[in-house]
Coordinates of all heavy atoms in Angstrom, one line a residue:
M1 N 39.6 -7.1 2.3 CA 41.0 -7.3 1.9 C 41.1 -8.7 1.3 O 40.6 -9.7 1.8 CB 41.9 -7.3 3.2 CG 42.1 -5.9 3.7 SD 43.5 -5.8 4.8 CE 42.7 -6.4 6.3
P2 N 41.8 -8.8 0.1 CA 41.9 -10.0 -0.6 C 42.8 -11.0 0.1 O 43.9 -10.7 0.6 CB 42.5 -9.7 -1.9 CG 43.1 -8.3 -1.7 CD 42.4 -7.7 -0.6
L3 N 42.3 -12.3 0.2 CA 43.1 -13.3 0.8 C 43.9 -14.0 -0.2 O 43.5 -14.3 -1.3 CB 42.1 -14.3 1.4 CG 41.5 -14.1 2.8 CD1 40.5 -15.1 3.1 CD2 42.6 -14.1 3.9
E4 N 45.2 -14.3 0.2 CA 46.0 -15.2 -0.7 C 45.8 -16.6 -0.3 O 45.7 -17.5 -1.2 CB 47.5 -14.8 -0.5 CG 48.4 -15.6 -1.4 CD 49.8 -15.1 -1.4 OE1 50.0 -13.9 -1.2 OE2 50.7 -15.9 -1.5
F5 N 45.6 -16.9 1.0 CA 45.5 -18.3 1.5 C 44.9 -18.3 2.8 O 45.2 -17.5 3.7 CB 46.9 -18.9 1.5 CG 46.9 -20.4 1.8 CD1 46.3 -21.3 1.0 CD2 47.4 -20.8 3.0 CE1 46.3 -22.6 1.3 CE2 47.4 -22.2 3.3 CZ 46.9 -23.1 2.5
I6 N 44.0 -19.3 3.1 CA 43.5 -19.4 4.4 C 43.2 -20.9 4.6 O 42.8 -21.6 3.7 CB 42.2 -18.6 4.6 CG1 41.8 -18.7 6.1 CG2 41.1 -19.0 3.7 CD1 40.8 -17.6 6.5
T7 N 43.5 -21.4 5.8 CA 43.2 -22.8 6.1 C 43.0 -23.0 7.6 O 43.5 -22.3 8.4 CB 44.3 -23.8 5.5 OG1 43.8 -25.1 5.6 CG2 45.6 -23.6 6.3
T8 N 42.3 -24.1 7.9 CA 42.2 -24.5 9.3 C 42.4 -26.0 9.3 O 41.9 -26.7 8.5 CB 40.8 -24.2 9.9 OG1 40.5 -22.8 9.8 CG2 40.8 -24.6 11.4
R9 N 43.3 -26.5 10.2 CA 43.6 -27.9 10.3 C 43.5 -28.4 11.7 O 43.9 -27.7 12.6 CB 45.0 -28.2 9.8 CG 45.3 -27.9 8.3 CD 44.4 -28.7 7.4 NE 44.6 -28.2 6.1 CZ 45.7 -28.4 5.3 NH1 46.6 -29.2 5.7 NH2 45.8 -27.8 4.2
E10 N 43.2 -29.7 11.8 CA 43.3 -30.4 13.1 C 44.7 -30.9 13.1 O 45.3 -31.3 12.1 CB 42.3 -31.5 13.1 CG 40.9 -31.1 13.2 CD 39.9 -32.2 13.3 OE1 40.2 -33.3 12.8 OE2 38.9 -32.1 14.0
L11 N 45.3 -30.9 14.3 CA 46.6 -31.4 14.5 C 46.6 -32.6 15.5 O 45.9 -32.6 16.4 CB 47.5 -30.4 15.1 CG 47.8 -29.1 14.2 CD1 48.5 -28.1 15.0 CD2 48.6 -29.5 13.0
V12 N 47.4 -33.6 15.1 CA 47.5 -34.8 16.0 C 48.8 -34.8 16.8 O 49.8 -34.3 16.3 CB 47.3 -36.1 15.1 CG1 46.0 -36.2 14.5 CG2 48.4 -36.2 14.1
D13 N 48.7 -35.5 17.9 CA 49.9 -35.7 18.7 C 50.7 -36.9 18.1 O 50.3 -37.5 17.1 CB 49.6 -35.8 20.2 CG 48.8 -37.1 20.5 OD1 48.7 -37.9 19.6 OD2 48.4 -37.2 21.7
K14 N 51.8 -37.3 18.8 CA 52.6 -38.4 18.3 C 51.8 -39.7 18.2 O 52.2 -40.6 17.5 CB 53.9 -38.5 19.0 CG 54.8 -37.4 18.6 CD 56.1 -37.4 19.4 CE 57.0 -36.2 19.0 NZ 58.1 -35.9 20.0
A15 N 50.8 -39.8 19.1 CA 50.0 -41.1 19.1 C 48.9 -41.1 18.1 O 48.2 -42.0 17.9 CB 49.5 -41.3 20.5
G16 N 48.7 -40.0 17.4 CA 47.7 -39.9 16.3 C 46.4 -39.3 16.8 O 45.4 -39.4 16.0
A17 N 46.2 -38.9 18.0 CA 45.0 -38.3 18.5 C 44.9 -36.9 18.2 O 45.9 -36.1 18.4 CB 44.9 -38.6 20.0
V18 N 43.7 -36.4 17.8 CA 43.5 -35.0 17.5 C 43.4 -34.2 18.8 O 42.5 -34.3 19.5 CB 42.2 -34.8 16.7 CG1 42.0 -33.3 16.4 CG2 42.3 -35.5 15.3
K19 N 44.4 -33.4 19.0 CA 44.4 -32.6 20.2 C 44.7 -31.1 20.0 O 44.8 -30.3 20.9 CB 45.5 -33.2 21.2 CG 45.1 -34.5 21.8 CD 46.1 -35.0 22.8 CE 45.6 -36.2 23.5 NZ 46.7 -36.8 24.3
G20 N 45.0 -30.8 18.8 CA 45.3 -29.4 18.5 C 44.8 -28.9 17.2 O 44.1 -29.7 16.5
M21 N 45.0 -27.7 16.9 CA 44.6 -27.2 15.6 C 45.5 -26.0 15.2 O 46.1 -25.4 16.0 CB 43.1 -26.8 15.6 CG 42.8 -25.6 16.5 SD 42.9 -24.0 15.6 CE 43.1 -22.9 16.9
V22 N 45.4 -25.7 13.9 CA 46.1 -24.5 13.5 C 45.3 -23.8 12.4 O 44.6 -24.4 11.6 CB 47.5 -24.9 12.9 CG1 47.4 -25.8 11.7 CG2 48.3 -23.7 12.5
K23 N 45.3 -22.5 12.5 CA 44.6 -21.6 11.5 C 45.7 -20.8 10.9 O 46.5 -20.2 11.6 CB 43.6 -20.7 12.2 CG 42.3 -21.3 12.5 CD 41.4 -20.2 13.0 CE 40.3 -20.8 14.0 NZ 39.5 -19.7 14.6
L24 N 45.6 -20.7 9.6 CA 46.6 -19.9 8.9 C 45.9 -18.9 8.0 O 45.0 -19.3 7.2 CB 47.5 -20.9 8.1 CG 48.5 -20.4 7.1 CD1 49.5 -19.5 7.8 CD2 49.2 -21.5 6.5
M25 N 46.3 -17.7 8.0 CA 45.6 -16.7 7.1 C 46.7 -15.8 6.5 O 47.6 -15.3 7.2 CB 44.6 -15.9 7.9 CG 43.8 -15.0 7.0 SD 42.5 -14.1 7.9 CE 43.4 -12.7 8.5
K26 N 46.6 -15.6 5.2 CA 47.6 -14.8 4.5 C 46.9 -13.8 3.6 O 46.1 -14.2 2.8 CB 48.6 -15.7 3.7 CG 49.5 -14.9 2.7 CD 50.6 -14.2 3.4 CE 51.6 -13.6 2.4 NZ 51.1 -12.6 1.5
L27 N 47.1 -12.5 3.9 CA 46.5 -11.5 3.0 C 47.4 -11.1 1.9 O 48.6 -11.1 2.1 CB 46.1 -10.2 3.8 CG 45.1 -10.4 5.0 CD1 45.0 -9.2 5.8 CD2 43.7 -10.8 4.4
V28 N 46.9 -10.8 0.8 CA 47.8 -10.6 -0.4 C 48.7 -9.4 -0.1 O 49.9 -9.5 -0.5 CB 46.9 -10.2 -1.6 CG1 47.7 -9.7 -2.8 CG2 46.1 -11.5 -2.1
E29 N 48.3 -8.3 0.5 CA 49.2 -7.2 0.7 C 50.1 -7.2 1.9 O 50.9 -6.3 2.1 CB 48.4 -5.9 0.6 CG 47.5 -5.7 1.8 CD 46.0 -6.1 1.5 OE1 45.8 -7.1 0.8 OE2 45.1 -5.4 2.0
E30 N 49.9 -8.3 2.7 CA 50.8 -8.4 3.9 C 52.0 -9.3 3.7 O 51.8 -10.4 3.1 CB 50.0 -9.0 5.1 CG 48.9 -8.1 5.6 CD 49.4 -7.1 6.6 OE1 50.5 -7.3 7.2 OE2 48.8 -6.0 6.7
P31 N 53.2 -8.9 4.1 CA 54.3 -9.8 3.9 C 54.3 -11.0 4.9 O 55.0 -12.0 4.7 CB 55.5 -8.9 4.2 CG 55.0 -7.8 5.1 CD 53.5 -7.6 4.7
D32 N 53.6 -10.9 6.0 CA 53.5 -11.9 7.0 C 52.2 -12.7 7.0 O 51.2 -12.1 6.6 CB 53.7 -11.4 8.4 CG 55.1 -10.7 8.5 OD1 56.0 -11.2 7.9 OD2 55.2 -9.8 9.3
A33 N 52.2 -13.9 7.4 CA 50.9 -14.6 7.6 C 50.6 -14.6 9.1 O 51.4 -14.4 9.9 CB 51.1 -16.1 7.2
L34 N 49.3 -14.7 9.3 CA 48.8 -14.8 10.7 C 48.5 -16.2 11.1 O 47.7 -16.9 10.4 CB 47.5 -13.9 10.8 CG 47.1 -13.5 12.2 CD1 48.2 -12.6 12.9 CD2 45.8 -12.8 12.2
V35 N 49.1 -16.7 12.1 CA 49.0 -18.1 12.5 C 48.4 -18.2 13.9 O 48.8 -17.4 14.8 CB 50.4 -18.8 12.5 CG1 50.2 -20.2 13.0 CG2 50.9 -18.9 11.1
E36 N 47.4 -19.0 14.1 CA 46.9 -19.3 15.4 C 46.9 -20.8 15.6 O 46.5 -21.5 14.7 CB 45.4 -18.8 15.4 CG 44.8 -18.6 16.8 CD 43.4 -18.1 16.7 OE1 43.0 -17.5 15.6 OE2 42.7 -18.2 17.7
Y37 N 47.4 -21.3 16.7 CA 47.5 -22.7 16.9 C 47.3 -23.1 18.3 O 47.4 -22.3 19.3 CB 48.8 -23.2 16.4 CG 50.0 -22.8 17.2 CD1 50.4 -23.5 18.4 CD2 50.8 -21.7 16.9 CE1 51.5 -23.1 19.2 CE2 51.8 -21.3 17.7 CZ 52.2 -22.0 18.8 OH 53.2 -21.6 19.6
V38 N 46.9 -24.4 18.5 CA 46.9 -25.1 19.8 C 47.8 -26.3 19.6 O 47.6 -27.1 18.7 CB 45.5 -25.5 20.2 CG1 45.5 -26.3 21.5 CG2 44.5 -24.4 20.3
C39 N 48.9 -26.3 20.3 CA 49.9 -27.4 20.2 C 49.3 -28.7 20.7 O 48.7 -28.8 21.8 CB 51.1 -27.0 21.0 SG 52.3 -28.4 21.0
P40 N 49.3 -29.7 19.8 CA 48.8 -31.0 20.2 C 49.6 -31.8 21.3 O 49.1 -32.7 21.9 CB 48.7 -31.8 18.9 CG 49.8 -31.2 18.1 CD 49.9 -29.8 18.4
M41 N 50.8 -31.3 21.4 CA 51.7 -32.0 22.4 C 51.6 -31.4 23.8 O 51.5 -32.2 24.8 CB 53.1 -31.9 21.9 CG 53.4 -32.7 20.6 SD 52.9 -34.4 20.7 CE 54.1 -35.1 21.8
C42 N 51.5 -30.1 23.9 CA 51.5 -29.5 25.3 C 50.3 -28.6 25.5 O 50.1 -28.2 26.7 CB 52.8 -28.7 25.5 SG 52.9 -27.2 24.5
G43 N 49.5 -28.4 24.5 CA 48.3 -27.6 24.8 C 48.5 -26.1 24.7 O 47.5 -25.3 24.9
F44 N 49.7 -25.7 24.5 CA 50.0 -24.2 24.4 C 49.3 -23.6 23.2 O 49.3 -24.2 22.1 CB 51.5 -24.1 24.3 CG 51.9 -22.6 24.3 CD1 51.9 -21.8 25.4 CD2 52.5 -22.1 23.1 CE1 52.3 -20.5 25.4 CE2 52.9 -20.8 23.1 CZ 52.8 -20.0 24.2
S45 N 48.7 -22.4 23.4 CA 48.1 -21.8 22.2 C 48.6 -20.4 22.1 O 49.0 -19.7 23.1 CB 46.5 -21.8 22.4 OG 46.1 -21.0 23.4
E46 N 48.6 -19.9 20.9 CA 49.3 -18.7 20.6 C 48.8 -18.2 19.2 O 48.4 -18.9 18.4 CB 50.8 -18.9 20.5 CG 51.6 -17.7 20.2 CD 53.1 -18.0 20.2 OE1 53.5 -19.0 19.7 OE2 53.9 -17.1 20.6
K47 N 48.8 -16.8 19.1 CA 48.5 -16.2 17.8 C 49.7 -15.4 17.5 O 50.2 -14.6 18.3 CB 47.3 -15.3 18.1 CG 46.4 -15.1 16.9 CD 45.2 -14.3 17.3 CE 44.0 -14.3 16.4 NZ 42.9 -13.6 16.8
K48 N 50.2 -15.6 16.3 CA 51.4 -14.8 15.9 C 51.5 -14.6 14.5 O 50.9 -15.2 13.7 CB 52.7 -15.5 16.5 CG 52.9 -16.9 15.8 CD 54.2 -17.4 16.3 CE 54.5 -18.8 15.7 NZ 55.8 -19.4 16.1
K49 N 52.4 -13.6 14.1 CA 52.7 -13.3 12.7 C 54.0 -14.1 12.4 O 54.9 -14.0 13.1 CB 52.9 -11.8 12.5 CG 51.6 -11.1 12.3 CD 51.8 -9.7 11.9 CE 50.5 -9.0 11.5 NZ 50.8 -7.6 11.0
V50 N 54.0 -14.7 11.2 CA 55.2 -15.3 10.8 C 55.5 -14.9 9.3 O 54.6 -14.6 8.6 CB 55.1 -16.9 10.8 CG1 55.1 -17.4 12.2 CG2 53.9 -17.4 10.0
A51 N 56.8 -14.7 9.1 CA 57.2 -14.3 7.7 C 56.8 -15.4 6.7 O 57.0 -16.6 6.9 CB 58.7 -14.1 7.7
W52 N 56.2 -15.0 5.6 CA 55.7 -15.9 4.6 C 56.9 -16.3 3.7 O 57.1 -15.9 2.6 CB 54.6 -15.2 3.7 CG 53.9 -16.0 2.8 CD1 54.0 -16.0 1.4 CD2 52.9 -17.0 3.0 NE1 53.1 -16.9 0.8 CE2 52.4 -17.5 1.8 CE3 52.3 -17.5 4.2 CZ2 51.4 -18.5 1.7 CZ3 51.3 -18.5 4.1 CH2 50.9 -18.9 2.9
A53 N 57.8 -17.1 4.3 CA 59.0 -17.5 3.6 C 59.6 -18.7 4.4 O 59.0 -19.1 5.4 CB 60.0 -16.3 3.7
E54 N 60.7 -19.2 3.9 CA 61.3 -20.4 4.6 C 61.8 -19.9 5.9 O 62.3 -18.7 6.0 CB 62.5 -20.9 3.7 CG 61.9 -21.6 2.5 CD 63.1 -22.3 1.7 OE1 64.1 -22.7 2.3 OE2 62.9 -22.5 0.5
P55 N 61.8 -20.7 7.0 CA 61.5 -22.1 7.0 C 60.0 -22.3 7.2 O 59.6 -23.5 7.2 CB 62.2 -22.6 8.2 CG 62.2 -21.4 9.2 CD 62.3 -20.2 8.3
F56 N 59.2 -21.3 7.3 CA 57.7 -21.5 7.5 C 57.1 -22.1 6.3 O 56.3 -23.0 6.4 CB 57.1 -20.1 7.9 CG 55.6 -20.2 8.0 CD1 55.0 -21.0 8.9 CD2 54.8 -19.5 7.1 CE1 53.6 -21.1 9.0 CE2 53.4 -19.5 7.2 CZ 52.8 -20.4 8.1
V57 N 57.3 -21.5 5.1 CA 56.8 -22.1 3.9 C 57.9 -22.6 3.0 O 58.9 -22.0 2.8 CB 56.1 -20.9 3.1 CG1 55.4 -21.5 1.8 CG2 55.1 -20.1 3.9
T58 N 57.7 -23.9 2.6 CA 58.6 -24.4 1.6 C 57.8 -25.0 0.4 O 56.7 -25.3 0.6 CB 59.5 -25.5 2.2 OG1 58.7 -26.5 2.8 CG2 60.5 -25.0 3.3
G59 N 58.5 -25.1 -0.7 CA 57.8 -25.6 -1.9 C 57.0 -24.4 -2.6 O 57.0 -23.3 -2.1
T60 N 56.5 -24.8 -3.7 CA 55.8 -23.7 -4.5 C 54.4 -24.3 -5.0 O 54.2 -25.5 -5.1 CB 56.6 -23.3 -5.7 OG1 57.0 -24.4 -6.5 CG2 57.8 -22.5 -5.3
G61 N 53.6 -23.4 -5.4 CA 52.3 -23.7 -6.0 C 51.5 -24.7 -5.1 O 51.3 -24.5 -3.9
A62 N 51.0 -25.8 -5.7 CA 50.2 -26.7 -5.0 C 51.0 -27.7 -4.1 O 50.5 -28.5 -3.3 CB 49.4 -27.6 -6.0
N63 N 52.3 -27.5 -4.1 CA 53.2 -28.4 -3.3 C 53.7 -27.7 -2.1 O 54.7 -28.1 -1.5 CB 54.4 -28.9 -4.2 CG 53.9 -29.8 -5.3 OD1 53.1 -30.7 -5.0 ND2 54.4 -29.6 -6.5
K64 N 53.1 -26.6 -1.7 CA 53.6 -25.8 -0.5 C 53.4 -26.7 0.7 O 52.4 -27.4 0.9 CB 52.7 -24.6 -0.4 CG 53.2 -23.4 -1.1 CD 52.6 -22.1 -0.6 CE 53.1 -20.9 -1.3 NZ 52.8 -20.8 -2.7
K65 N 54.4 -26.5 1.6 CA 54.3 -27.2 2.9 C 54.5 -26.1 3.9 O 55.3 -25.1 3.7 CB 55.5 -28.2 3.1 CG 55.3 -29.4 2.3 CD 56.5 -30.3 2.6 CE 56.7 -31.3 1.4 NZ 57.9 -32.1 1.6
F66 N 53.9 -26.3 5.1 CA 54.0 -25.3 6.2 C 54.6 -26.0 7.4 O 54.3 -27.1 7.7 CB 52.6 -24.7 6.5 CG 52.0 -24.1 5.3 CD1 51.0 -24.7 4.6 CD2 52.4 -22.8 4.9 CE1 50.5 -24.2 3.4 CE2 51.8 -22.2 3.7 CZ 50.8 -22.9 3.0
C67 N 55.3 -25.2 8.2 CA 55.9 -25.7 9.4 C 55.8 -24.6 10.5 O 56.4 -23.6 10.3 CB 57.3 -26.2 9.2 SG 58.0 -26.9 10.7
V68 N 55.0 -24.9 11.5 CA 54.9 -24.0 12.6 C 55.4 -24.6 13.8 O 55.1 -25.8 14.1 CB 53.4 -23.7 12.9 CG1 53.2 -22.7 14.0 CG2 52.7 -23.2 11.6
Q69 N 56.3 -23.9 14.5 CA 56.9 -24.5 15.7 C 56.3 -24.0 17.0 O 56.0 -22.8 17.1 CB 58.4 -24.2 15.7 CG 59.2 -25.0 16.8 CD 60.7 -24.9 16.6 OE1 61.2 -23.9 16.1 NE2 61.3 -25.9 17.0
C70 N 55.9 -24.9 17.9 CA 55.3 -24.5 19.1 C 56.3 -23.6 19.9 O 57.4 -23.9 20.1 CB 55.0 -25.7 19.9 SG 54.3 -25.4 21.6
G71 N 55.7 -22.5 20.4 CA 56.5 -21.5 21.2 C 56.9 -22.0 22.6 O 57.7 -21.4 23.3
K72 N 56.3 -23.1 23.0 CA 56.5 -23.6 24.4 C 57.4 -24.9 24.3 O 58.5 -24.9 25.0 CB 55.2 -23.9 25.1 CG 55.4 -24.1 26.6 CD 54.1 -24.3 27.3 CE 54.3 -24.7 28.7 NZ 53.1 -25.0 29.4
C73 N 56.9 -25.9 23.6 CA 57.7 -27.2 23.7 C 58.5 -27.4 22.4 O 59.3 -28.4 22.4 CB 56.7 -28.3 23.9 SG 55.7 -28.8 22.5
G74 N 58.4 -26.6 21.4 CA 59.2 -26.7 20.2 C 58.7 -27.8 19.2 O 59.4 -28.0 18.2
F75 N 57.6 -28.4 19.5 CA 57.0 -29.4 18.6 C 56.7 -28.7 17.2 O 56.2 -27.6 17.1 CB 55.7 -29.9 19.2 CG 55.0 -31.0 18.3 CD1 55.6 -32.2 18.1 CD2 53.8 -30.7 17.7 CE1 55.0 -33.2 17.3 CE2 53.2 -31.7 16.9 CZ 53.8 -32.9 16.7
Q76 N 57.1 -29.4 16.1 CA 56.9 -28.9 14.8 C 55.6 -29.4 14.2 O 55.5 -30.6 14.0 CB 58.1 -29.2 13.9 CG 59.4 -28.5 14.4 CD 60.5 -28.5 13.4 OE1 60.6 -29.5 12.6 NE2 61.3 -27.5 13.3
M77 N 54.7 -28.5 13.9 CA 53.4 -28.8 13.3 C 53.6 -28.6 11.8 O 53.7 -27.5 11.4 CB 52.3 -27.9 13.9 CG 52.2 -28.1 15.4 SD 51.3 -26.8 16.3 CE 52.7 -25.8 16.8
K78 N 53.6 -29.7 11.1 CA 53.8 -29.6 9.7 C 52.5 -30.0 9.0 O 51.8 -30.9 9.4 CB 54.9 -30.5 9.3 CG 56.2 -30.1 9.8 CD 57.3 -31.1 9.4 CE 58.6 -30.7 10.0 NZ 59.7 -31.8 9.8
F79 N 52.2 -29.3 7.9 CA 51.1 -29.7 7.1 C 51.2 -29.2 5.7 O 52.0 -28.3 5.4 CB 49.7 -29.2 7.7 CG 49.7 -27.7 8.0 CD1 49.1 -26.8 7.1 CD2 50.2 -27.3 9.2 CE1 49.0 -25.5 7.4 CE2 50.2 -25.9 9.5 CZ 49.6 -25.0 8.6
L80 N 50.5 -29.9 4.8 CA 50.7 -29.5 3.3 C 49.5 -28.7 2.9 O 48.4 -28.7 3.5 CB 50.6 -30.8 2.5 CG 51.7 -31.9 2.7 CD1 51.3 -33.2 2.0 CD2 53.0 -31.4 2.1
K81 N 49.7 -27.9 1.9 CA 48.6 -27.3 1.2 C 47.8 -28.3 0.5 O 48.3 -29.2 -0.2 CB 49.2 -26.3 0.2 CG 48.1 -25.5 -0.5 CD 48.8 -24.4 -1.4 CE 47.7 -23.5 -2.0 NZ 48.4 -22.4 -2.8
L82 N 46.5 -28.3 0.7 CA 45.6 -29.3 0.1 C 45.3 -28.9 -1.4 O 45.1 -27.8 -1.7 CB 44.3 -29.5 0.9 CG 44.5 -30.0 2.3 CD1 43.1 -30.1 3.0 CD2 45.2 -31.4 2.3
K83 N 45.2 -29.9 -2.2 CA 44.8 -29.7 -3.6 C 43.5 -29.0 -3.7 O 43.3 -28.1 -4.5 CB 44.8 -31.0 -4.4 CG 46.2 -31.4 -4.7 CD 46.3 -32.4 -5.8 CE 47.8 -32.7 -6.1 NZ 48.1 -34.1 -6.1
K84 N 42.5 -29.4 -2.9 CA 41.2 -28.8 -3.0 C 41.2 -27.4 -2.6 O 40.4 -26.6 -3.0 CB 40.2 -29.6 -2.2 CG 40.4 -29.5 -0.7 CD 39.2 -30.2 0.1 CE 39.5 -30.0 1.6 NZ 38.4 -30.5 2.4
E85 N 42.1 -27.0 -1.7 CA 42.3 -25.6 -1.3 C 42.8 -24.7 -2.5 O 42.4 -23.6 -2.7 CB 43.1 -25.4 -0.1 CG 42.4 -25.9 1.1 CD 43.4 -25.9 2.3 OE1 44.6 -25.9 2.2 OE2 42.8 -26.0 3.4
A86 N 43.7 -25.3 -3.2 CA 44.3 -24.6 -4.4 C 43.2 -24.3 -5.4 O 43.3 -23.3 -6.1 CB 45.4 -25.5 -5.0
A87 N 42.2 -25.2 -5.4 CA 41.2 -25.0 -6.5 C 39.9 -24.3 -5.9 O 38.9 -24.2 -6.6 CB 40.8 -26.4 -7.0
K88 N 40.0 -23.9 -4.7 CA 38.8 -23.3 -4.0 C 38.3 -22.1 -4.8 O 39.0 -21.3 -5.3 CB 39.2 -22.8 -2.6 CG 38.0 -22.7 -1.7 CD 38.5 -22.3 -0.3 CE 38.4 -23.4 0.7 NZ 38.8 -23.0 2.0
G89 N 37.0 -22.1 -4.9 CA 36.3 -21.0 -5.7 C 36.2 -21.2 -7.2 O 35.5 -20.5 -7.9
K90 N 36.8 -22.3 -7.6 CA 36.7 -22.6 -9.1 C 35.7 -23.7 -9.4 O 35.0 -23.7 -10.4 CB 38.0 -23.0 -9.6 CG 39.0 -21.8 -9.7 CD 40.3 -22.2 -10.3 CE 41.3 -21.0 -10.2 NZ 42.7 -21.4 -10.5
K91 N 35.6 -24.6 -8.4 CA 34.7 -25.8 -8.6 C 33.3 -25.6 -8.0 O 32.4 -26.3 -8.4 CB 35.4 -27.1 -8.1 CG 36.5 -27.5 -9.1 CD 37.0 -28.9 -8.6 CE 38.0 -29.4 -9.6 NZ 38.6 -30.6 -9.1
G92 N 33.3 -24.8 -6.9 CA 32.0 -24.7 -6.2 C 31.5 -25.9 -5.5 O 30.4 -26.1 -5.2
K93 N 32.5 -26.7 -5.1 CA 32.1 -27.9 -4.3 C 32.7 -27.9 -2.9 O 33.9 -27.5 -2.8 CB 32.6 -29.2 -5.0 CG 31.5 -30.1 -5.3 CD 32.0 -31.4 -5.9 CE 30.8 -32.3 -6.4 NZ 31.3 -33.5 -7.0
Ligands
LIG1 ZN1 53.8 -27.4 22.4

């Protein structure tokens, strides 16, 4: 199945320590993205489908931003689409 977007990120708590992570996968033919995360604030982990639209995704093209909210403590895990990810498969690096 063709992928539209996939990423894995480390997540930091408010003190800047890496305590969580998020994986995001979006297939071209699916309207929803699959998100798996470990919350850096409370340690809660979950796998869920989220609609590929606001408020989860904002911005367009290489300026996309993502926001995943922890299902337990409500902490908002925000991250940007990386430029190198936008160019993946074209540079071979
Ligand atoms: Zn949490």
Side-chain angles (χ1 to χ4, degrees):
M1 285 196 280
L3 277 171
E4 181 173 326
F5 185 66
I6 187 163
T7 192
T8 303
R9 295 297 170 78
E10 290 181 329
L11 294 171
V12 296
D13 65 9
K14 283 176 183 164
V18 176
K19 288 186 177 168
M21 67 91 202
V22 61
K23 280 187 206 171
L24 172 60
M25 187 175 83
K26 168 74 170 66
L27 297 172
V28 171
E29 67 263 38
E30 292 277 335
D32 298 329
L34 199 63
V35 174
E36 195 179 343
Y37 67 85
V38 177
C39 176
M41 295 306 288
C42 71
F44 182 71
S45 67
E46 182 180 35
K47 209 175 195 177
K48 65 176 180 178
K49 278 189 169 183
V50 290
W52 190 251
E54 290 188 26
F56 173 63
V57 186
T58 54
T60 54
N63 294 314
K64 273 196 176 65
K65 289 181 200 173
F66 303 98
C67 182
V68 182
Q69 190 166 32
C70 175
K72 192 177 175 188
C73 75
F75 180 68
Q76 293 195 326
M77 297 163 266
K78 294 178 183 171
F79 52 100
L80 298 169
K81 182 174 184 175
L82 298 178
K83 284 196 176 128
K84 66 172 184 179
E85 287 172 344
K88 203 176 251 182
K90 288 179 187 169
K91 284 187 177 174
K93 235 182 188 181

